[in-house]
Amino acid sequence: MDIQAMNPISIIATFPSLCLSFLILLVLFISKLGEKNKGKKRYHPIADSTTKQLINFHRIHDHMADLAAKYKTYRLESPFRSEIYTSEPANIEYILKTNFDNYGKGDYHHEILKDFYGDGMFTVDGEKWKEQRKVSSPEFSKRVIREVNSVIFSKNAVKLANILDECANSKETVDIQ
């Protein structure tokens, strides 16, 4: 059929019906896509943006603590990356113990921290991490930690006792806080 031979009214009537058909197909497609994704992963809420972090930079630690109190587990999105933060004990155990291999530090953290930590336990993944952990594990035993803490406590207790003794002898008021 020649378009020039068609009645202009039928052309005008055909365009809205084509648009309506397209919209109906689009709605059906989106609804099917939604049904298809019902069983898929659910993600934690996005709690903040880079802009909000910059606005709160002067109190960033308090800001992050406020977010942790409000959401327990949340995501921070930036143009180049996404990070998950959690204060939920079950999630922390899952990440650090149960499913540790799925939560690597990755190249980004390795690149930023390698000048300070080298290829140590805090910057590497996989076999290198296992090797570093095996070497450092004895240093974190209850016995070693107790010994180190008792030495530190003893030194600080003696310092505090001397300060309190001097203040008591001079009848000076002490603000313990």
Side-chain angles (χ1 to χ4, degrees):
M1 178 186 254
D2 188 16
I3 293 183
Q4 291 177 342
M6 285 183 71
N7 184 347
I9 295 176
S10 65
I11 292 174
I12 293 172
T14 306
F15 181 72
S17 63
L18 283 174
C19 288
L20 184 61
S21 300
F22 176 74
L23 284 174
I24 290 170
L25 286 173
L26 185 64
V27 167
L28 287 172
F29 175 76
I30 290 173
S31 67
K32 288 290 182 190
L33 188 63
E35 287 175 14
K36 192 171 149 183
N37 290 334
K38 275 186 181 175
K40 298 247 176 166
K41 292 180 183 176
R42 292 179 54 207
Y43 294 98
H44 296 289
I46 297 174
D48 210 357
S49 65
T50 307
T51 307
K52 282 186 182 176
Q53 287 187 316
L54 289 172
I55 291 169
N56 287 291
F57 190 74
H58 66 284
R59 57 176 295 274
I60 194 69
H61 298 293
D62 293 326
H63 179 64
M64 298 297 280
D66 293 344
L67 290 174
K70 183 176 180 181
Y71 295 106
K72 299 295 183 209
T73 300
Y74 60 93
R75 289 182 297 153
L76 292 181
E77 297 286 335
S78 72
F80 307 106
R81 46 197 310 251
S82 175
E83 293 179 342
I84 297 174
Y85 292 81
T86 187
S87 61
E88 187 75 40
N91 290 345
I92 293 170
E93 180 178 349
Y94 181 78
I95 292 167
L96 294 179
K97 183 180 176 187
T98 311
N99 204 2
F100 183 78
D101 290 338
N102 279 356
Y103 295 93
K105 292 157 204 83
D107 293 335
Y108 176 78
H109 285 97
H110 183 261
E111 285 301 312
I112 325 182
L113 298 172
K114 74 178 179 183
D115 289 338
F116 190 67
Y117 291 115
D119 281 335
M121 186 168 77
F122 299 110
T123 60
V124 295
D125 293 320
E127 289 303 315
K128 280 187 174 183
W129 177 85
K130 286 178 183 174
E131 182 181 317
Q132 292 289 337
R133 186 173 187 271
K134 198 179 290 185
V135 168
S136 63
S137 286
E139 295 303 316
F140 293 100
S141 70
K142 286 181 183 179
R143 182 187 56 78
V144 171
I145 290 173
R146 193 177 301 122
E147 288 172 2
V148 169
N149 283 339
S150 66
V151 169
I152 292 170
F153 179 80
S154 298
K155 282 182 184 177
N156 289 326
V158 169
K159 284 181 187 177
L160 179 62
N162 289 335
I163 291 169
L164 292 175
D165 188 46
E166 286 175 20
C167 291
N169 290 337
S170 65
K171 299 200 188 294
E172 191 178 328
T173 305
V174 179
D175 182 1
I176 297 289
Q177 193 176 14

